[in-house]
Amino acid sequence: MAEKPTITTTHLLRFTGEDRPGLTAELSDALAQLGATVLDINQAVIHQSLLLGMMVRLPDDLVCDEAKTKKTLKAIRKVAKHHDLKLKAKPIADANYDHWVGRQGKPRHILTLLTRSLTAEQLAAVTSVIAAQGLNIDVIHRLSGRPPRPGSEADTGQPRRACIEFWLRGELRDADAMHGHFMQLGSDLSLDIAWQKDDVYRRSRRMVVFDMDSTLIQAEVIDELAKEAGAGDQVAAITEAAMRGELDFDASLRQRAATLAGLPESTMQTVAERLVLTEGCETLLANLKAFGYKTAVLSGGFTYFGRHLQQKLGLDHVHANELEIVDGKLTGNVLGTIVNGPRKAELLGELAATEGINEQQVVAVGDGANDLPMLNRAGLGIAFHAKPIVREQAEQSVSTLGLDAVLYLLGVRDRQRTAQTD
């Protein structure tokens, strides 16, 4: 006696073809008339080409035998053909469906690929690392805008940027090896990779704190002041070593500040007026403000310049070091507690408490070794065009794009930006 065929009520339907408004509604209506239940759905449109996947469960009374199953699928295929769509239907065995359901508890991650212009080589290299870690890619989408054709009217000559976001699922096999591979790819292929755990905090950041020198601005202020005092080269060498983590920050700051003794107070205004903002700085701050984020400067630099930026960029908080001024001249002394690496981390915690938010909702951005404590304490720490020791130790690093790349790590698409000011 022949065995009865296994009844399969679950099917994966894949529709492809030219996109137009109303297609999904019409296909869904056809399935509704068959009494189908939608278990999963995913749709994407690439240059007017539709890719629509639906996992559906058909009523048992429609698929009680193989003939009725074929008849039901034929009816769906007829609707697809009417709309010039191709349909590929695949039956899903109960065991495979149960396995799919069981995978929903797996850890999820967000990988963000940032570069000036995305190449197939970059994409192949990054996805190979993902595959080697045994991770599954659920979704890939573009956060950056559509790149203009070179030489077209839309090509304004502005610095280009490309950002692709991957939604991943699965257990990492070797996190250290993956991090090492991404660091190497960043060096070899001029790209950045940000890796975030997909949790509730990733979607609810509420404050961003910044280092100032070489982060918000393209200079180290103390080096600029030292130039005015005739000690530029000497101080710049000390600053560079301090930012690499080779010197005690407090001692090096006092040593550098001492070279400023006798400078007129007005020199600070002269230096402030020639400071250049980092690419993407104004765009980032304008958007953060529009989105309701609190912002702060936590700097090993000086309060005068932090206040200058606060007025220009609308920052909410400024914490930095205070230069002593007597009779209109700098004395070369630094007043009060120095804002060093540990103090930056403490201030981050204090600001989070003041604003009534979890520290995991704080983003920290900096470039020097004295920024590492706050980068590691924040929910999202970003080493921005940073020194090698900082890139190696920080969880995230951005070295190819401007400061507004931070918006991508927050999941903001170009079209969602409220301001583009740079």
Side-chain angles (χ1 to χ4, degrees):
M1 182 176 178
E3 293 184 5
K4 293 183 178 180
T6 302
I7 298 175
T8 302
T9 62
T10 305
H11 289 77
L12 176 61
L13 309 178
R14 287 177 284 189
F15 301 91
T16 58
E18 193 77 8
D19 184 43
R20 65 172 177 80
L23 276 180
T24 304
E26 292 170 15
L27 291 171
S28 299
D29 182 64
L31 289 168
Q33 293 181 38
L34 295 171
T37 300
V38 179
L39 306 173
D40 196 15
I41 183 169
N42 201 306
Q43 177 174 312
V45 176
I46 301 177
H47 201 67
Q48 294 303 113
S49 293
L50 174 72
L51 306 170
L52 171 61
M54 302 177 74
M55 187 180 292
V56 301
R57 177 174 291 127
L58 302 176
D60 290 344
D61 61 340
L62 287 180
V63 290
C64 58
D65 59 42
E66 187 175 2
K68 287 189 176 181
T69 298
K70 289 181 179 181
K71 185 176 180 180
T72 301
L73 294 176
K74 185 178 180 179
I76 300 173
R77 201 178 304 277
K78 183 177 180 181
V79 174
K81 185 177 181 180
H82 175 72
H83 295 294
D84 295 322
L85 298 177
K86 292 182 179 180
L87 168 61
K88 184 174 182 180
K90 177 182 178 182
I92 305 297
D94 289 347
N96 290 337
Y97 179 79
D98 292 343
H99 177 69
W100 175 73
V101 171
R103 293 168 65 187
Q104 66 185 334
K106 296 290 185 180
R108 295 179 182 271
H109 312 273
I110 302 294
L111 184 152
T112 311
L113 189 164
L114 307 114
T115 184
R116 289 292 180 181
S117 180
L118 182 65
T119 67
E121 182 183 15
Q122 292 170 330
L123 186 61
V126 171
T127 53
S128 292
V129 175
I130 292 172
Q133 287 293 325
L135 300 173
N136 188 73
I137 300 174
D138 285 340
V139 177
I140 303 175
H141 51 215
R142 172 173 48 85
L143 300 187
S144 52
R146 297 172 179 174
R149 179 174 53 81
S152 67
E153 291 184 3
D155 186 7
T156 62
Q158 293 296 316
R160 297 190 179 189
R161 56 179 182 265
C163 177
I164 303 296
E165 187 176 82
F166 298 77
W167 294 5
L168 309 175
R169 176 173 24 88
E171 297 279 359
L172 285 175
R173 290 173 177 168
D174 189 333
D176 291 338
M178 182 189 71
H179 182 71
H181 286 148
F182 285 149
M183 288 283 291
Q184 189 61 50
L185 290 181
S187 175
D188 294 344
L189 299 178
S190 298
L191 56 82
D192 293 312
I193 295 293
W195 177 270
Q196 299 180 62
K197 185 177 180 180
D198 187 17
D199 57 22
V200 65
Y201 296 117
R202 192 256 171 182
R203 295 179 174 85
S204 62
R205 311 293 187 197
R206 291 181 53 192
M207 181 166 65
V208 185
V209 302
F210 299 92
D211 174 46
M212 180 171 63
D213 299 40
S214 297
T215 299
L216 290 177
I217 56 176
Q218 298 180 41
E220 294 287 335
V221 166
I222 197 165
D223 295 355
E224 298 301 309
L225 290 171
K227 290 177 184 177
E228 300 294 324
D233 292 342
Q234 171 193 346
V235 169
I238 299 172
T239 300
E240 182 67 20
M243 292 302 99
R244 292 196 302 263
E246 298 170 359
L247 300 175
D248 176 76
F249 183 82
D250 291 20
S252 70
L253 179 63
R254 295 189 187 282
Q255 180 184 0
R256 288 174 286 163
T259 68
L260 309 180
L263 273 181
E265 182 180 2
S266 61
T267 305
M268 292 197 290
Q269 181 178 350
T270 300
V271 170
E273 290 175 350
R274 72 175 185 236
L275 293 176
V276 178
L277 295 174
T278 298
E279 176 196 342
C281 176
E282 290 179 286
T283 293
L284 173 59
L285 268 296
N287 279 277
L288 291 177
K289 185 175 182 179
F291 296 149
Y293 285 78
K294 294 296 183 179
T295 55
V297 162
L298 304 182
S299 174
F302 304 116
T303 303
Y304 180 92
F305 302 93
R307 298 296 181 201
H308 173 78
L309 289 179
Q310 184 175 35
Q311 293 180 0
K312 189 169 186 176
L313 300 172
L315 295 156
D316 295 299
H317 305 279
V318 171
H319 293 275
N321 296 302
E322 194 73 38
L323 287 169
E324 184 181 48
I325 300 172
V326 176
D327 296 331
K329 293 184 177 181
L330 277 64
T331 67
N333 295 323
V334 180
L335 300 175
T337 302
I338 288 179
V339 179
N340 54 20
R343 181 58 182 151
K344 287 187 178 189
E346 290 175 3
L347 287 166
L348 183 152
E350 292 172 8
L351 286 174
T354 298
E355 297 293 345
I357 64 177
N358 190 296
E359 290 179 15
Q360 290 299 306
Q361 295 176 284
V362 180
V363 180
V365 187
D367 73 297
N370 64 322
D371 294 314
L372 277 169
M374 76 171 182
L375 298 185
N376 291 331
R377 184 162 181 169
L380 175 60
I382 304 170
F384 179 74
H385 289 258
K387 307 301 183 290
I389 187 175
V390 186
R391 291 199 304 270
E392 291 170 5
Q393 295 186 27
E395 288 192 5
Q396 318 297 345
S397 177
V398 173
S399 299
T400 60
L401 302 184
L403 201 56
D404 56 336
V406 171
L407 292 171
Y408 291 140
L409 272 63
L410 298 175
V412 178
R413 299 172 183 267
D414 279 359
R415 67 171 181 266
Q416 295 169 326
R417 297 185 181 199
T418 61
Q420 185 71 42
T421 59
D422 292 86

